[in-house]
Amino acid sequence: MNTDRNRIFVYDTTLRDGAQGEGISFSAGGKEQLARRLDTFGVDYIEGGYAGSNSSDMAFFEPLRKKKLRHAKLVAFGSTRRARTPVQKDPQVASLLAAGTPVVTVYGKSWKLHVRDVLRTSLKENMAMIRETVAYLKDRGREVIFDAEHFFDGYRDDPDFAVRALAAAAEAGADTLVLCDTNGGSLPHEVFGAVRTAVDLFDRPIGIHTHNDMELGVANTLEAVRAGAVHVQGTMNGYGERCGNANLTSILPALVLKMERTCLRPGELKKLRDVSLFVDDLVNIRHWPKAPYVGRSAFAHKGGAHVNAVKKNPHTFEHTDPATVGNERHVLMSELSGGSSVLLKAVELGLARRETEEGARDILAALKAMESKGYAFEAADASFRILAQKVLKKHRSFFDLEGYRVIVEKRGKEEPCIAEATVKVSVNGEVEQTVAEGEGPVDALNGALRKALTRFYPSIAKVHLTDFRVRILDPEESTAAITRVLIESSDGEATWGTVGVSDNIIEASWEALVDSVEYKLFREEERKKPGRRAPSKRRGGQRRAKA
Amino acid sequence: MNTDRNRIFVYDTTLRDGAQGEGISFSAGGKEQLARRLDTFGVDYIEGGYAGSNSSDMAFFEPLRKKKLRHAKLVAFGSTRRARTPVQKDPQVASLLAAGTPVVTVYGKSWKLHVRDVLRTSLKENMAMIRETVAYLKDRGREVIFDAEHFFDGYRDDPDFAVRALAAAAEAGADTLVLCDTNGGSLPHEVFGAVRTAVDLFDRPIGIHTHNDMELGVANTLEAVRAGAVHVQGTMNGYGERCGNANLTSILPALVLKMERTCLRPGELKKLRDVSLFVDDLVNIRHWPKAPYVGRSAFAHKGGAHVNAVKKNPHTFEHTDPATVGNERHVLMSELSGGSSVLLKAVELGLARRETEEGARDILAALKAMESKGYAFEAADASFRILAQKVLKKHRSFFDLEGYRVIVEKRGKEEPCIAEATVKVSVNGEVEQTVAEGEGPVDALNGALRKALTRFYPSIAKVHLTDFRVRILDPEESTAAITRVLIESSDGEATWGTVGVSDNIIEASWEALVDSVEYKLFREEERKKPGRRAPSKRRGGQRRAKA
């Protein structure tokens, strides 16, 4: 099975253990999006959630059973059967099967304290729970991963008992035995020693699952791999309860770049920063600038001497080439991202050729000016394109704004809140004024704008918003802070993102709405031109050519 | 000198290497404040800054020479003499002496790459630079610490050369030899091995200085200590260039609680969280909630099963008693929470006693109903409290909303966007109507509400918003989707969070604003009652009683 002796199997639990983190929650659509992104990335196992514990996790498995993942195996997570309950009558074990995944992960106790104080059952019954649950699931054709919860605490307390819990799972046929530092309280050399023992004792893959409560989550995982573990569990960006799970975003590059292990699909490590940002965006949390490898500051140089030395030879102050993880060097007099990416982006969008670096430089200057105001174009390709067209003087505007007004009103505590928007635009000198109500001010504004433009541009009727995200920048300034609105639109064929920034959320939303409509109209016009193809938006062949 | 064989010397470089971090800068007064706080804490060495490189660092040493520190030794930092310059004529070495500190730290090269590509001098001259600078400073009565920059890279490249650099410093009389992982690219076992070699070769204290570029800063420091290092350099909260320096806030508790080493003044480890917050406050950066030991989430429990187990026995899911580092357990309200976490929370807030589980069950039912509408109470303690009070019929409302209206208007493409809000409330039958403009609709609404209430409740004037977050739930439904607004408010003493949910962002913000104001008024009223203490929000005695 594992022909490559250096192969490490990556097990992502962002959707399950990661979701235990403070402030982390995924929408149903977001879960599926993440699973597909991780699949492309080359993760081997994707733990989708608890089987049974709540219906939203169960619902997640459904679409992925229909439209399968390409590489990764989907995993349902649950515990061993309850004490004194026949395994075939345990509802939780039944839902592990009902999830219909090829792999199930079952956690069981390997620390006497937990058997006594939490399960409140006998040590013997604990072993039976492990053995019977694993055997039952194996009999039904599942790949079974056994998570020995609190393994290292248990091993410290009574090594023999902890090892016997592993043996119970192994004898019952568990495919992988995973040692968990559930409380995150173990030191690297302790992890190394215990993993080495398990590797020596058992004839099957040993896995590792650590937490970051002592800021040792990554170290403990890497030490486990050095001791012979070949299966690594963790979460993207280290999401997870308390101080988080072992951070795959730091572990994966260390395995590949520093320890010569094999994992992920070829070439995908270069997308590490993209994936990391994607996950943060999905749950709408702020990217951690100091994050190793992927953070904005990870390759930032402040001291003049360092910058100088790095210019002479990057190895002097960089342990890794930032490009290997999709990041870039960052010199701190400018707060902003570098220029080569802009050129690449402009090429990708069909706005520039490699030769015309000239235009790219102008775009970069405009981009930096926008970024300093709070704009972010990572998820707003369409706004970037419109900006670039304006710089290159290739932009024409399809309508002029004469004005808008939004009213939100509530007449009494129990009364509904009403939102109404009026919009006045002119197209080739012809003025159109419309009014619409909506669920909220932005919805009303969106309705009025589309109403006004559909008369002139009927295709606008097909455009609808598929995502709408708001981030407040400079939170210290609270409600008066700058608001960034990201909108994703679709016409049923293509999907595009736009951005707006203002200290007024309505104005920021308006900007993003206008960009969205203009992009649609522009694309349409371009498509009509004979002999020209609209540039492909995402995952184009062009991107591959550049990489 | 070192009679306690387990004694570790703590060397804080927050003011020097920490200040290299993105967004970190200290005022002159702030530097002195921090030095005195660290002195009380029991740090052994405080590196104040570069000698000579900039005048503000030099100015820092002045007041500390006059009003001495009680325990810590003050350190000036600089490099070896320049190549081909007599040491007594090197201006930088002269300013190391001029700083007037009892200790100087001198860094020198131990990696051939740097000698060749950065210094551009001979390997022999490099050794002379180290030897002569150390000897010169020793002759003038200083304690000299030698920082072997890039030691581990140098050791990997050519162990003999790296060790010879240490030997040059040792022969010249350096008191401590510090091995630096300047680029943060080393693995724990590499650090262990190289430190062990140095410990075996030299008859004086070996120190360690690591960076966090691989998320291994803490692990590498702890492994160095295990290998025999007795001098530990780091920064508070892991400030520092790129991904930061080794984080003393994680290292110190590990040394004391997990490795049985001695450091800090007795009893001071309990102030760890206070010191950590103090430092963040000083440079005005947001505390990292997931920070091990000291973060708000470090002992936060979300899953119902975990909360249940912690109630039975805290060791089950806590690797350390939060009180040992001045932190506390924290129960998160969430979709995953069961009844036990609600009870714990209600006890924590002083709303219920352990006995009255009955009330907790009603609160849980109300909580679940709210959560299914999109409310989240993890970061909204104050809204949870108001909800609980309503359920327990202990709530009284301080004002009635008669209505509000928000208008956002833009008269033309280049015109500014104007936001105006009117609010009508009544207090005990008396109606107040106010109007305010703001940067955006929520800011305007906030202004009008506070204006209206200040007449009746002057203390409202002190309340200000410290954070404002917006999340759109079900993003697939775009602008008509449900909006969740989280607000953090402060009156200068306490901080509290509130939440509002609606398909209209204005209404959601209004809800959160109202909860915030009601919570403030409620707390105030409670405080005035004779014989009753307001339930302490943070660091309460109650919390300790329950644990």
Side-chain angles (χ1 to χ4, degrees), chain B residues 365-401:
Chain B
L367 187 74
K368 293 217 160 176
M370 296 293 273
E371 282 179 342
S372 70
K373 289 181 197 158
Y375 288 81
F377 294 91
E378 282 167 32
D381 278 31
S383 285
F384 173 72
R385 174 156 199 160
I386 288 171
L387 174 70
Q389 287 176 177
K390 283 180 180 164
V391 171
L392 301 174
K393 309 244 182 319
K394 288 183 183 172
H395 184 74
R396 85 167 180 92
S397 122
F398 290 85
F399 60 94
D400 282 312
L401 169 72

Side-chain angles (χ1 to χ4, degrees), chain A residues 51-52 58 61-62 65 76 91-101 104 137 142:
Chain A
M58 285 302 264
F61 295 112
E62 181 89 16
R65 272 200 307 266
Q92 197 266 145
V93 174
S95 30
L96 269 172
L97 290 171
T101 56
V104 293
L137 294 165
R142 298 302 190 271

Side-chain angles (χ1 to χ4, degrees), chain B residues 100-137:
Chain B
T101 56
V103 187
V104 293
T105 294
V106 170
Y107 74 92
K109 303 291 188 187
S110 54
W111 186 10
K112 283 198 285 192
L113 173 85
H114 264 257
V115 178
R116 202 180 54 220
D117 286 6
V118 180
L119 293 185
R120 292 176 175 167
T121 192
S122 71
L123 302 181
K124 200 177 152 203
E125 170 69 357
N126 179 61
M127 296 307 176
M129 287 156 67
I130 295 172
R131 204 181 310 108
E132 289 168 23
T133 311
V134 170
Y136 182 79
L137 294 166

Side-chain angles (χ1 to χ4, degrees), chain A residues 450 453-454 457-464 490-491 520:
Chain A
R450 267 145 231 278
L453 291 179
T454 305
Y457 305 108
S459 67
I460 289 298
K462 267 194 286 180
V463 178
H464 58 279
S490 168
D491 57 8
K520 165 69 181 167

Side-chain angles (χ1 to χ4, degrees), chain B residues 35-197:
Chain B
R36 301 216 182 271
R37 186 72 189 84
L38 291 172
D39 184 35
T40 308
F41 193 44
V43 158
D44 300 291
Y45 297 91
I46 297 172
E47 195 177 79
Y50 281 98
S53 88
N54 76 52
S55 54
S56 91
D57 278 0
M58 285 302 264
F60 160 77
F61 296 112
E62 181 88 15
L64 291 164
R65 270 200 308 266
K66 282 180 192 150
K67 195 183 161 201
K68 292 235 181 302
L69 297 174
R70 269 182 277 179
H71 167 82
K73 296 181 200 167
L74 205 59
V75 186
F77 180 84
S79 74
T80 54
R81 70 159 172 81
R82 256 181 263 164
R84 294 168 297 275
T85 308
V87 66
Q88 60 277 17
K89 292 201 174 159
D90 187 298
Q92 198 266 143
V93 174
S95 31
L96 268 173
L97 289 172
T101 56
V103 187
V104 293
T105 294
V106 170
Y107 74 92
K109 303 291 188 187
S110 54
W111 186 10
K112 283 198 285 192
L113 173 85
H114 264 257
V115 178
R116 202 180 54 220
D117 286 6
V118 180
L119 293 185
R120 292 176 175 167
T121 192
S122 71
L123 302 181
K124 200 177 152 203
E125 170 69 357
N126 179 61
M127 296 307 176
M129 287 156 67
I130 295 172
R131 204 181 310 108
E132 289 168 23
T133 311
V134 170
Y136 182 79
L137 294 166
K138 279 305 296 175
D139 280 351
R140 274 138 196 91
R142 297 300 191 273
E143 176 178 341
V144 177
I145 295 172
F146 178 68
D147 270 13
E149 204 195 25
H150 295 288
F151 179 81
F152 298 96
D153 296 295
Y155 189 81
R156 218 175 288 133
D157 174 46
D158 181 346
D160 183 55
F161 178 79
V163 166
R164 276 195 291 128
L166 295 181
E171 285 156 21
D175 296 278
T176 303
L177 306 174
V178 180
L179 317 191
C180 303
D181 189 30
T182 311
N183 293 359
S186 300
L187 292 163
H189 71 281
E190 296 171 337
V191 171
F192 183 91
V195 171
R196 179 52 64 88
T197 303

